[in-house]
Each structure stands twice: as C-alpha cells, then as structure tokens.
Amino acid sequence: MAGRRALIVVSNRGPVTFDRGPDGERVLRRGGGGLVTALRGLLEHHDVTWVAAATTDEDRAVAAEGSSEVAFVAPEPGVYHGYYNVVANPMLWFIQHGLWGRGLRPDLDEAFHAAWRDYETVNRAFADRVVVELDNRPEAAVLFQDYHLYLAPGYVRAARPDAALAHFVHIPWPVDWTILPEAMRRAVHEGLLANDVVAFHTARWARNFEASCDDVVGGHGKTRVTHHAISIDAAEFDELAGSDGVLAEERQLEERRPEKLVLRVDRTDPSKNIVRGLEAFGLLLDTRPEWRGRARMLALLDPSRQSIPEYVEYVAAIERVTEAIDARHPGAVDLQVADNFQRSVAAYKQFDVLLVNAVYDGMNLVAKEAPLVNTRDGVLVLSENAGAHEELAEWAITVNPFDVWGQAAALHEALSMDEAERRRRRDAICDHVREHDVHAWLDGLLADLDSV
Ligand code: F6P
C-alpha cells in the first residue's frame, strides 16, 4: 500500500447521504453503488475530501450548514434534474452503453439543449468547489469519477493549471460519439483531456477512448490513458456472507429453492439486458422440456432511476415478458423488484447458474461478488461486452448479449456441466478475485497519480 496522501475525490453520488427519519430526526445513509463502495476504501488510508452532489433536501440542509464529512455541491433541483435525468442519464449513459435504437430516439430537442446548459452549470459548480478545496490543500490530487463530470476537469484546469487531475470512467467507452452534436462531443473529450490521467476498467474501453479522441479532437495529447479493473473487498464479502441477516434470508431461499437455481441480480437498467435474459430462460424451457419443473429463474432487481421515462418503461417491459413466460411455464420465474442487498448475497450463495448478460457494462461487480461466496460450484454465464469478461472469460460461458438463442443454449450448457468442471472454474474465479481485489485497484490508480 502506497503512503498516506491528500486526495480530493469528486463524484456525483457521495459516500453518505442524509434524510429525515419518522420522528423528524436527521438520519445518515451510506451511499449506494459500486463506485462509492470501492472508493470508500480510500477514506481509511488517505486524507480525503469528498466532493459530491446534494441529492436530498436534507443533504441541501447539511450543505448549507457546511457540517459534513462530504463537501456537498448543492445545485438548484431543476438544474440538477437537467444534469442528471436528461444529460447524464439517459443521454450519456445510453450513448456509452449502446442503448439508443437511433430510428426515432434520441431526439435532441430544445429541452435537451437547455438540459445541456444544466450539465455545464452543475459541472461548473463541482469545479468551483474543487478549486476552493485545492486552495485549502494545494498539494492534493483530484480524482474525478464518471460521466456526470466530464466538463469539470477543464474548468478546474483553467483555474489551476498546475493541479494534478485524474478521471476514472466507470462505464464503457464507445468509439462512436456522433449522436452528440459536434460542440458537445468536443466538450466531453476536451474536458476529459484536461486531466493528467484518464482511466477505465479495461483495455477495450481505454483503446476506444484513444480512438474517439483521434476522431473528435485529433488525439489525446499528453494525457495518460490507462486501465485498472475495479473489484470488491473479498474479506468484507466473506463476512457479509456469514452475517445473521444474510443467513436468515438464505434459510428462506433454501426452503423454496428449485433443483436448479438460475440467478440474476441487477439494477433495473436497460444496459443490464434483463428482458433478453428472461426471454432466453423462457426459450430454454420451451425447447428443453427436461428443465421444466426443475430449473427456476430468480431475478432480484433493484429499482433504479425511476424519474427517467426510459427506466420506467423498462420495468414495464420486464413485467410483460415475465407474465408471458409465466403463461407458458407457471411459476418458472420468480421476479422480485426490490432493494434487498442481504437477499442478493443469500442468493449469491445458492445459485447453480448466474446470468450476467449485460448489453455493455463498464465492469459488472455481480460477476465477481457472486462466485466468491457461492456454495454450489455455480456456473457464470457472462456477456462478452461486460468489462469483467476481459478477466473472467476463461472460466465463464461467454454469451453475445443480443443472441437470445445463444443465451438459451449457454444456460443449458451451464445447467448440464459436470461437478468437477464447475468446481475447477469457480475456484479459478475465486482465486482471481481474491488476488485482484479492490485494494489492488486503488493501488493501481494511485500509482498512476504518482506518474504525473
Ligand atoms: O459507474 C456506474 C455507477 O455510478 C455505479 O457506481 C452504480 O452502480 C450506478 O452507476 C449508480 O447509478 P446512480 O447513481 O444513478 O444510482
């Protein structure tokens, strides 16, 4: 582990968020998501100031008091809406995960152009806050995170030319950015290239970034482009797997479990490819009668971004396809749309087949978390477009996320695999994840910073 250092971490979602409890008292919640969980590890070992958006009324109250471990940026809610619900999600997210069909959508109307100005405004607010923090601690290195903040590094660089700036992009990077008008895609690239280092999870996303820089701005200049695979805290997961809450959930699962449990655990995000995954399971039962009554799919889905119409529509599509399968094979799919992390970990322990079939995914930590605590030598069926595939392909069954027929065939192969082969593969995944855990990721990131 490298020595203690001064860091300014900048992300949309912070490590904590505040709300009011039933009696009106202030309650603190840990921020969710893989990014925040992974970066929280920095807090113990370094002197970190975390700059994040105030996302609740109570966050804004805390921001006004200036009384938190988080340096909150508190944009006006209407401006935050344009930045988060229109530009960052879905526009940038959909571009980067290849989700636009392009025939009719996206439609970059007047409202979108107004929202782009909100994106600029919020990025400027983040940058202003970073500059204040840099004035307090000029030696600190700044670590920007993700697609909400592509413009902020450019604003900081203009104000503090000598600052050490790095940006970690946690989602895929496509080569083609032509959906965004020229001025906007140029702004995205120039903003990122104001950093000393731009990092991704995989070589594939880093390569694509270099290619899109060539197209949009004629190269990536002096900026160092690197990749480090994010991971999990293996020790924390082991502990969680044995905790009372998880054991209680596991007992309930075991009482109802089928002979073969096919599991998926995702946010209800179109990038996760839940609809095609369900269709593949339905097709498996249609075409392979031997699995009827023996295999059941458990889909544990965490509701996500429900203030965005595309995400609401996606939940409806998931429900429709589940009903269609249920009409043909009653009880074959157990769909649960709820935020219950303990149940997810219990299911991680119990699966026979884990389906991770993302359309595209920066990494996908479920593919690392679930095999680590699994007790049944379960098989991983993994999309070739998930970042995790770069590390785990050798021990998984690879699927093309658009090929429903191929996914049904992969599920059959996974369900039929003999025990010795299943064990060999799961052991290899566990060894890899333990060796390349989140601490290795953080060390890699900090070594990059040392190099600038
Ligand atoms: O990097 C993608 C990411 O920020 C993850 O950390 C997390 O899984 C997800 O997106 C959270 O999205 P949101 O903050 O919009 O809920």
Side-chain angles (χ1 to χ4, degrees):
M1 172 79 59
R4 212 172 169 83
R5 67 181 75 205
L7 299 173
I8 299 172
V9 173
V10 196
S11 64
N12 176 64
R13 219 179 255 282
V16 293
T17 184
F18 296 90
D19 267 318
R20 288 270 176 195
D23 303 322
E25 77 286 12
R26 178 170 285 171
V27 288
L28 180 152
R29 277 187 291 120
R30 279 170 61 135
L35 175 162
V36 164
T37 309
L39 287 165
R40 214 192 308 269
L42 284 172
L43 296 173
E44 285 165 40
H45 303 288
H46 302 283
D47 299 322
V48 178
T49 302
W50 201 314
V51 180
T55 53
T56 62
D57 287 344
E58 206 51 27
D59 284 349
R60 279 184 280 278
V62 171
E65 294 160 19
S67 61
S68 160
E69 60 189 87
V70 184
F72 278 121
V73 172
E76 195 257 304
V79 175
Y80 186 82
H81 170 80
Y83 148 89
Y84 182 84
N85 289 324
V86 182
V87 177
N89 311 296
M91 181 58 71
L92 298 175
W93 181 274
F94 272 41
I95 288 176
Q96 293 193 238
H97 291 83
L99 296 174
W100 291 119
R102 298 193 184 204
L104 292 170
R105 285 151 100 182
D107 181 349
L108 279 65
D109 55 8
E110 198 184 344
F112 178 79
H113 282 261
W116 182 262
R117 291 192 288 279
D118 294 335
Y119 186 75
E120 291 172 336
T121 303
V122 176
N123 270 261
R124 203 168 274 289
F126 267 94
D128 290 348
R129 185 63 201 236
V130 169
V131 170
V132 169
E133 298 300 332
L134 273 173
D135 287 345
N136 292 337
R137 294 192 302 154
E139 77 288 4
V142 184
L143 291 176
F144 293 101
Q145 308 297 315
D146 245 346
Y147 58 100
H148 313 85
L149 300 172
Y150 288 151
L151 309 182
Y155 302 146
V156 174
R157 177 64 75 211
R160 295 289 175 274
D162 297 330
L165 308 180
H167 207 123
F168 205 101
V169 178
H170 293 260
I171 65 176
W173 194 271
V175 175
D176 180 6
W177 279 80
T178 52
I179 284 176
L180 273 193
E182 209 268 341
M184 294 178 190
R185 60 178 187 260
R186 175 173 283 276
V188 163
H189 285 77
E190 285 177 348
L192 277 170
L193 292 174
N195 291 287
D196 300 291
V197 176
V198 177
F200 299 85
H201 290 312
T202 66
R204 180 181 182 185
W205 312 140
R207 243 184 355 255
N208 288 357
F209 179 66
E210 292 184 351
S212 78
C213 285
D214 288 345
D215 281 354
V216 178
V217 289
H220 62 88
K222 284 196 220 138
T223 301
R224 188 161 165 218
V225 181
T226 63
H227 58 94
H228 300 286
I230 200 168
S231 192
I232 60 171
D233 185 330
E236 196 179 292
F237 252 86
D238 289 336
E239 205 181 306
L240 196 61
S243 67
D244 291 346
V246 168
L247 291 174
E249 288 287 348
E250 197 183 359
R251 276 193 295 278
Q252 286 187 22
L253 269 177
E254 264 174 323
E255 276 167 26
R256 309 187 46 238
R257 59 157 296 127
E259 181 190 332
K260 294 282 190 185
L261 182 65
V262 180
L263 175 70
R264 69 172 312 135
V265 176
D266 289 293
R267 287 183 302 105
T268 55
D269 191 306
S271 68
K272 304 296 181 183
N273 211 17
I274 298 159
V275 170
R276 287 193 194 86
L278 287 163
E279 282 172 346
F281 184 69
L283 186 59
L284 171 82
L285 299 185
D286 293 344
T287 54
R288 302 265 183 190
E290 67 266 39
W291 297 119
R292 291 181 202 156
R294 292 174 59 203
R296 190 190 310 139
M297 174 172 257
L298 174 62
L300 298 179
L301 307 180
D302 183 5
S304 184
R305 303 179 187 163
Q306 290 298 297
S307 43
I308 300 169
E310 284 82 354
Y311 283 76
V312 176
E313 285 166 28
Y314 196 61
V315 174
I318 291 168
E319 284 165 354
R320 274 198 306 274
V321 69
T322 304
E323 279 163 24
I325 296 169
D326 198 66
R328 307 197 304 273
H329 306 287
V333 175
D334 183 355
L335 172 71
Q336 301 187 23
V337 182
D339 175 7
N340 187 339
F341 189 54
Q342 289 184 332
R343 183 169 302 165
S344 298
V345 177
Y348 285 171
K349 293 169 76 178
Q350 286 287 321
F351 75 82
D352 297 290
V353 177
L354 177 73
L355 179 60
V356 177
N357 64 328
V359 174
Y360 289 95
D361 209 330
M363 171 52 67
N364 194 296
L365 288 178
V366 172
K368 294 186 173 181
E369 291 167 355
L372 189 78
V373 296
N374 184 259
T375 58
R376 298 176 60 86
D377 295 320
V379 181
L380 173 63
V381 174
L382 183 59
S383 165
E384 61 182 330
N385 290 340
H389 192 261
E390 213 165 87
E391 292 170 83
L392 306 181
E394 201 183 332
W395 310 299
I397 298 179
T398 297
V399 287
N400 174 297
F402 308 100
D403 182 0
V404 172
W405 185 89
Q407 287 166 57
L411 291 175
H412 174 69
E413 185 187 340
L415 286 166
S416 314
M417 194 178 283
D418 73 59
E419 198 183 331
E421 181 59 11
R422 287 191 277 122
R423 174 156 311 152
R424 185 188 73 77
R425 291 177 183 228
R426 194 194 77 96
D427 285 352
I429 294 176
C430 288
D431 289 349
H432 178 90
V433 173
R434 285 187 195 284
E435 208 172 308
H436 302 88
D437 77 350
V438 71
H439 303 289
W441 176 73
L442 286 175
D443 286 349
L445 205 60
L446 296 175
D448 280 347
L449 271 179
D450 283 339
S451 74
V452 301

